Amino acid sequence: MRKIILGFFELCIHIVIYAFVIFLVYRAAVFAYDFSYNIFGDPVMSKYDSEVVTVVVDDGDSASTVASKLKDAGLIKYEAAFVIRVRLEEMGDKIMPGTFELSPSMSVEDILQILTTEGEIRQEDSEVITR
């Protein structure tokens, strides 16, 4: 009788371990899909949120710094995915300094388009130049 109980207990432990491993593999796959979609897809943070957020990009800001500002503003999900996309599209040196009006309903492609072509540059004497 004792062997049967120990065998059953051992079987239960194996089932729990296998279920945990399957769960970890599932979560890793979901994260990998979501992360890669944020790099290669055209995600938006909120399809229906049209609230305008102001993001200021300073002269000399790297893609990582810009990604951090965008994440803090709620415009992107993963900083690393944004940086990888900027590097893949070779847009790191094309991001211009300035003040940008962005929205969570914009895709990453739209955000990059605006960051590389539009915005207001605030100069020392409070003069505003619009590109």
Side-chain angles (χ1 to χ4, degrees):
M1 182 68 167
R2 183 180 164 136
K3 273 188 166 182
I4 294 174
I5 293 174
L6 286 176
F8 179 73
F9 183 68
E10 186 178 329
L11 177 67
C12 290
I13 289 176
H14 283 266
I15 290 173
V16 168
I17 291 171
Y18 291 141
F20 183 69
V21 170
I22 290 169
F23 174 75
L24 287 179
V25 169
Y26 169 76
R27 293 299 299 161
V30 168
F31 173 77
Y33 174 80
D34 189 40
F35 188 80
S36 62
Y37 180 70
N38 276 273
I39 295 172
F40 301 110
D42 217 14
V44 295
M45 284 299 288
S46 176
K47 187 186 274 188
Y48 305 106
D49 186 5
S50 59
E51 176 186 342
V52 175
V53 179
T54 301
V55 176
V56 178
V57 177
D58 299 318
D59 193 23
D61 277 358
S62 65
S64 299
T65 306
V66 173
S68 177
K69 290 178 180 183
L70 293 174
K71 177 149 174 58
D72 291 343
L75 298 169
I76 60 172
K77 189 170 185 178
Y78 301 111
E79 292 177 34
F82 181 82
V83 171
I84 291 170
R85 184 162 181 165
V86 166
R87 288 185 182 159
L88 286 174
E89 294 185 14
E90 298 176 352
M91 298 184 97
D93 57 345
K94 296 178 185 173
I95 295 176
M96 298 183 171
T99 303
F100 301 93
E101 301 292 325
L102 306 169
S103 171
S105 63
M106 292 179 171
S107 67
V108 174
E109 185 175 330
D110 295 338
I111 291 172
L112 280 172
Q113 180 68 30
I114 290 171
L115 290 176
T116 57
T117 59
E118 299 178 15
E120 293 180 349
I121 302 172
R122 299 198 185 274
Q123 294 184 335
E124 303 283 328
D125 58 357
S126 299
E127 180 183 341
V128 176
I129 300 171
T130 303
R131 281 185 253 138

